[in-house]
Amino acid sequence: MEDAKIVQLYFDRDEAALNETQSKYGKYLLKIANNILYNNEDSEECVNDTYLSAWNAMPPHRPDVLSLFLGKLTRGHAIDVYRKNHAGKRIPSEFTTSIDELEECIPGASDVEDNLEAKRLGEVISGFLREQSDEARNLFVGRYFYADSLKDVAAYYGMSEAKAKMILFRTRQKLKDFLDTEGFTV
Amino acid sequence: MDKEKISEALSYLDDDIIKETDALRQKSAKRRSFGIINIAGRPWVKIGLTAAACVLIIIGGGVAVYRSGILSRKKSAPLPDLASSKFAYTSSDGITQGLSEGDGFATDRYDTSDSGRNEGTRENAVGTSPASVGEKQVAAAAMPYDMTYITSFCTYTCKDSKVAGSYGFDLSENADYYVVTGDRWELEFLNSDTWEKVAPKEEKAWPAIAIPIGQYAGTNHYSSNFNLDCYGELKDGSYRIVKKIWIHKVVGGNDTSYEESVYCDLEIKK
């Protein structure tokens, strides 16, 4: 079923919307959640929360791209579950590895950093990514948004993992410099 | 700011950015689901491909040489000479340009102007020609090959006392033989009715290569750049570049070679 029709089912408050969403995007969303949580049970629960959130959000929200809208919801839920269930513990998921890598992007200590809204930071990073090559941008989003493994992101372009790793490293360094120049550091 | 905050912020990336990556992910997943793995970027594949390419080039070169008949010809025929001369020409004035075209025994016609710039056009004439007078001339009818399948050409300029250009020949696709030649060429001057070899001022070593033209070679065209910088002073007159070739034809079941010459004419006028 086309996305527009699925969205319309939500607007019509037709519960078939949930079945259609699960049928079309269930695996996609489960993959996103599992990359972060590394646990099937938690991931399925997370995806179910996504359906509920989508049901509550539509209407009034009418997403331009349903898959991205659902993906973002799933990612948000998965990160919440990750924090709640694994606070202080370290689990061997791609998400754990990927956010460890993101540590390199943290600018120097700043008093204003806590005031920075995640949304604003997201916009800034979007601006930064637009300046990067297609390759660097997609590897970055694949690795740090979708928490895909290094092997998976390398497969986007059929490159070696070593090359993908090097591109990601350079992009992180650039992002750090970019955030510095944007004033997110002392 | 901590790393999780950055990760959380990524949830607010613009949709078009995520969409672009998402499309790439799905494409990649689809390739994997069909068992298509792009391995071109992997280092061992690059090394393997490079090695395979080298092996193919070596094998291909060997086959080309073998099929050219160099290793298997029955009649003794010398390879293109590996050491010869390169010549120079010095002219004191004007610009001379020439274009010649013809078969190996072609004649030529040359027009000049008085403006210090000379232009020549050489017209093709199949068969005997003044350009071959005084040379050992092989009657085409007596030989098992037809030289009219070969059309020579020469384009050149003469400017600031320097003559340079390109010369070569084309072998008709209808030819029932192929040709092998080398890099070497010589210059001859038409003295009255006799072609005389022009002695070079400097010796030059020619590369030891055999160039097949025609069947099996993938091309029916041979051309090469030349200049007469290394010659001494040249007087006005008719010159020609002499190019040795070896015609290979199967005669009586044997790949037999015949030595011939192709002539590319030049007209130098100060």
Side-chain angles (χ1 to χ4, degrees):
Chain A
M1 183 180 283
E2 291 175 9
D3 285 358
K5 289 181 180 174
I6 297 175
V7 171
Q8 191 55 49
L9 289 176
Y10 279 102
F11 273 76
D12 295 342
R13 311 314 290 165
D14 186 339
E15 291 186 6
L18 300 177
N19 290 333
E20 292 295 338
T21 303
Q22 185 179 25
S23 171
K24 189 169 183 179
Y25 294 113
K27 286 183 182 175
Y28 167 74
L29 299 176
L30 197 61
K31 167 78 173 164
I32 292 175
N34 212 23
N35 276 356
I36 294 170
L37 299 172
Y38 211 62
N39 181 300
N40 284 338
E41 197 176 324
D42 285 348
S43 298
E44 284 171 9
E45 187 180 335
C46 192
V47 171
N48 285 333
D49 287 344
T50 300
Y51 299 146
L52 182 61
S53 296
W55 182 260
N56 291 332
M58 296 182 287
H61 182 66
R62 188 180 288 272
D64 293 330
V65 183
L66 184 58
S67 63
L68 298 186
F69 173 69
L70 295 171
K72 283 183 174 181
L73 287 176
T74 303
R75 188 175 187 276
H77 283 304
I79 290 174
D80 286 344
V81 172
Y82 174 89
R83 285 175 175 161
K84 189 166 65 180
N85 293 353
H86 305 285
K89 288 188 286 184
R90 185 177 175 80
I91 57 169
S93 75
E94 285 299 337
F95 182 68
T96 306
T97 312
S98 71
I99 62 171
D100 281 350
E101 291 170 6
L102 280 175
E103 198 160 26
E104 295 171 20
C105 304
I106 299 170
S110 169
D111 292 336
V112 298
E113 62 189 20
D114 290 334
N115 298 326
L116 189 68
E117 292 291 334
K119 192 174 179 180
R120 164 72 183 132
L121 184 56
E123 290 169 358
V124 169
I125 296 174
S126 290
F128 163 79
L129 289 175
R130 287 183 200 287
E131 301 297 317
Q132 306 307 306
S133 67
D134 291 354
E135 214 172 56
R137 180 171 58 252
N138 286 314
L139 291 182
F140 188 92
V141 174
R143 180 68 176 151
Y144 303 118
F145 179 84
Y146 286 109
D148 279 342
S149 69
L150 206 53
K151 183 181 176 182
D152 285 348
V153 296
Y156 292 176
Y157 289 100
M159 63 175 62
S160 66
E161 289 180 39
K163 186 177 179 186
K165 197 172 182 178
M166 181 54 67
I167 292 171
L168 286 168
F169 172 75
R170 287 176 181 155
T171 308
R172 291 196 302 270
Q173 293 300 308
K174 286 181 188 173
L175 177 58
K176 180 180 184 302
D177 294 342
F178 183 78
L179 293 176
D180 277 339
T181 56
E182 286 290 305
F184 298 139
T185 185
V186 175
Chain B
M1 183 185 300
D2 59 24
K3 57 193 179 188
E4 288 185 12
K5 191 156 189 174
I6 293 181
S7 179
E8 186 183 342
L10 295 183
S11 293
Y12 296 96
L13 287 178
D14 292 345
D15 281 356
D16 60 318
I17 291 176
I18 299 170
K19 190 178 175 183
E20 181 190 18
T21 307
D22 189 43
L24 207 56
R25 290 176 83 234
Q26 289 180 27
K27 202 173 166 184
S28 174
K30 207 171 280 183
R31 281 203 305 266
R32 285 199 301 270
S33 71
F34 282 107
I36 301 168
I37 302 170
N38 189 341
I39 59 174
R42 299 182 184 176
W44 65 267
V45 174
K46 286 180 181 172
I47 293 168
L49 288 175
T50 304
C54 289
V55 169
L56 284 176
I57 288 169
I58 291 167
I59 292 172
V63 169
V65 169
Y66 176 77
R67 297 187 75 174
S68 72
I70 291 169
L71 301 177
S72 61
R73 64 174 168 274
K74 303 296 181 186
K75 180 179 176 181
S76 173
L79 286 172
D81 291 341
L82 306 182
S84 181
S85 327
K86 194 170 183 182
F87 325 106
Y89 168 76
T90 307
S91 177
S92 58
D93 60 1
I95 300 168
T96 301
Q97 288 187 328
L99 169 65
S100 71
E101 194 175 323
D103 72 313
F105 306 96
T107 185
D108 61 15
R109 187 184 68 198
Y110 188 77
D111 300 317
T112 61
S113 68
D114 295 326
S115 61
R117 176 188 175 90
N118 302 316
E119 296 183 354
T121 303
R122 187 180 182 289
E123 290 187 345
N124 189 10
V126 177
T128 60
S129 78
S132 298
V133 173
E135 288 302 300
K136 178 192 76 173
Q137 183 138 351
V138 179
M143 302 306 294
Y145 52 86
D146 185 352
M147 279 295 285
T148 61
Y149 285 135
I150 297 175
T151 306
S152 65
F153 61 87
C154 183
T155 59
Y156 60 96
T157 60
C158 178
K159 184 178 181 182
D160 299 331
S161 302
K162 291 186 181 298
V163 180
S166 67
Y167 75 99
F169 60 88
D170 289 304
L171 179 63
S172 168
E173 291 183 355
N174 297 323
D176 54 355
Y177 55 81
Y178 65 91
V179 170
V180 176
T181 188
D183 270 353
R184 179 175 177 167
W185 52 270
E186 293 180 334
L187 187 68
E188 291 183 343
F189 170 68
L190 182 61
N191 187 4
S192 299
D193 287 339
T194 305
W195 285 101
E196 297 174 347
K197 182 179 174 182
V198 181
K201 297 293 182 186
E202 296 176 17
E203 294 297 325
K204 178 182 177 181
W206 297 91
I209 58 170
I211 305 163
I213 311 293
Q215 299 166 344
Y216 318 125
T219 179
N220 283 59
H221 176 79
Y222 171 83
S223 68
S224 180
N225 293 329
F226 75 94
N227 68 66
L228 306 182
D229 289 350
C230 297
Y231 272 108
E233 184 79 16
L234 292 177
K235 53 189 175 186
D236 290 355
S238 298
Y239 291 79
R240 67 182 184 182
I241 289 173
V242 182
K243 183 80 173 172
K244 290 281 186 229
I245 63 168
W246 286 266
I247 290 175
H248 285 257
K249 183 173 179 177
V250 176
V251 178
N254 294 324
D255 183 355
T256 310
S257 77
Y258 304 89
E259 183 177 321
E260 273 295 351
S261 295
V262 170
Y263 306 104
C264 305
D265 299 298
L266 297 154
E267 197 75 26
I268 296 173
K269 187 178 177 67
K270 293 177 184 174

